[in-house]
Amino acid sequence: MTRVREAGARVTGLSHAARQAVHQPCALLDHAGCCTVYAARPAACRRYLSVSVDACEAIWNGEPPAQEPEYPGIAEPGRYAASGAHNAFIAAGYDGYSYDLMAALAEALDDPECEARWRLKQPAA
């Protein structure tokens, strides 16, 4: 989990745009680029990341991709599901801020009070 903590430290406190500019690969990928958590790449990862190596490399290098990086059949339902979950959490009184996965995971691993604060509807530290 050292990689998760290091990745979280690199983006903690940054705006969404600044986090994107860090160009940080997911810390849960192994040396071959395979997910170490799931046998099949989760829909959330497929939704937020490119399904085309060429498009992904172009975006990484700050160039416009020659093709759409997302597969519409995954992207649209994913956006609706994420929006619905976001709105439901806010309606229930929970924090609606969008956190970086590595920063949030590092906080959850390091702070034993993290879950208790969430259950009390308090924002992350």
Side-chain angles (χ1 to χ4, degrees):
M1 292 283 106
T2 300
R3 289 177 57 203
V4 169
R5 288 180 178 99
E6 290 172 353
R10 282 192 289 275
V11 297
T12 296
L14 298 180
S15 69
H16 178 74
R19 288 192 315 251
Q20 297 300 316
V22 171
H23 285 207
Q24 177 170 261
C26 179
L28 300 175
L29 298 176
D30 66 14
H31 65 282
C34 296
C35 183
T36 60
V37 179
Y38 297 100
R41 191 171 169 205
C45 296
R46 292 192 308 265
R47 177 175 141 347
Y48 286 108
L49 303 174
S50 178
V51 295
S52 161
V53 172
D54 292 336
C56 189
E57 286 177 351
I59 291 168
W60 187 269
N61 293 323
E63 303 163 0
Q67 68 184 69
E68 283 296 317
E70 294 180 311
Y71 179 69
I74 295 170
E76 281 302 307
R79 274 192 273 282
Y80 290 126
S83 177
H86 173 79
N87 292 337
F89 276 111
I90 290 174
Y94 290 94
D95 183 8
Y97 183 78
S98 177
Y99 294 91
D100 176 79
L101 174 62
M102 293 302 113
L105 185 54
E107 180 180 339
L109 290 168
D110 292 338
D111 184 354
E113 299 301 317
C114 186
E115 181 182 358
R117 280 195 319 276
W118 180 80
R119 289 183 182 277
L120 293 171
K121 300 181 180 181
Q122 297 173 351

